[in-house]
Structures are given as C-alpha cells and as structure tokens.
Amino acid sequence: MTQGPYLYDDDPAPLHTGTPRAARGLILAILGGTVAVAVGMAVGLPLVKGTPEEQARQVTGVFLQALAQDDVDTAHQLLCEEERGRIEAQQVPGEYAAGGDGEVAGTAAAEAGGEPVQRVEVAWSDGSTSVLTVVSEDGPRVCGTTAG
C-alpha cells in the first residue's frame, strides 16, 4: 500500500477484519444440489423426450405422413445423413413408399453396426409390410428399409 497523505487523518481500514469461517457446509450443499439436479435430469429426460420406441414411432409417423402428402422435402430431411447423401428428395417415395400409404404397425429394439436402433414395422395400404430402421442422429432419423 502507498504511504502518504490521506484525505482523512486515519489510515485506511483493512478490508477483512473478521475471523475467517469455514464454508464446508455451503460447498457441500452446492455440490449436493448439483448432483441432485444432474440425477433428476437423467431420470427426467425420457419423460420429456420419450423413450427411443416412442421417438421412433413418432418420426416414422411424420415420415409416412410426409410421403402420403407428397412432401418429399420433409421426408428427405427425416432421413439419416447417409441416406440423404445416397438418394435425392424426389427418389424418397420410390425407395420408401412402394406400397402406397403406410401406418406404423410395431417397433422393436435392435442393433446395427454395434449401435442401438429401432426397427419400425410399417403396414402399407396394398397389404404389404416393410421395416424401417430408425437411428439416433441429431434426433431420431429413418435410415433404411427392408421388405417385411
């Protein structure tokens, strides 16, 4: 600190004059609260976003509605990155909706390439069935089809 003339006659008072106190309780409360929020978010996330099965049903339903309404741009955006690179938007109905209008008939958890996927069975208006593979890629995305 500097020595010298002060505006007032007495020296400046020290900033911390009291005895220090332990903040263990506050630190433990903050850490405990953080852990409780993290656990709550992990448990609550499926309640907000839905289970993978619910997400797969929902994205497949939107995909099928887009195909039924000839909205090929929306259907193309619901494809995974690999499929979007493989086919153009105008080719989506020919690749995915060969049986007319579709309806979700069921879902099942599976694995593809070591990654968890959902297999969504689709019943088509012509009586045929197919299975759409739904992957998690920036949200659920349709990523391939096979005949049922």
Side-chain angles (χ1 to χ4, degrees):
M1 297 183 78
T2 61
Q3 300 293 329
Y6 298 107
L7 184 58
Y8 302 102
D9 291 338
D10 49 344
D11 294 339
L15 295 177
H16 303 288
T17 58
T19 57
R21 50 185 199 144
R24 282 190 209 116
L26 177 63
I27 292 171
L28 289 175
I30 290 173
L31 287 174
T34 303
V35 168
V37 167
V39 168
M41 293 290 288
V43 169
L45 190 61
L47 298 174
V48 175
K49 291 180 77 176
T51 63
E53 179 181 284
E54 291 169 340
Q55 291 180 22
R57 281 181 171 273
Q58 184 176 20
V59 77
T60 303
V62 172
F63 181 75
L64 294 173
Q65 286 178 348
L67 290 176
Q69 296 172 3
D70 293 325
D71 186 0
V72 294
D73 291 327
T74 299
H76 192 257
Q77 288 302 312
L78 291 173
L79 295 175
C80 67
E81 187 176 329
E82 180 183 334
E83 286 292 292
R84 282 194 312 263
R86 186 178 71 83
I87 60 175
E88 297 294 322
Q90 300 304 324
Q91 298 171 315
V92 173
E95 290 275 334
Y96 284 91
D101 291 340
E103 186 177 305
V104 175
T107 62
E111 277 193 17
E115 297 293 322
V117 299
Q118 291 289 321
R119 304 274 190 215
V120 181
E121 185 179 356
V122 176
W124 298 99
S125 58
D126 69 356
S128 65
T129 61
S130 65
V131 177
L132 299 180
T133 301
V134 177
V135 299
S136 180
E137 181 182 282
D138 292 331
R141 300 276 188 240
V142 177
C143 198
T145 183
T146 56

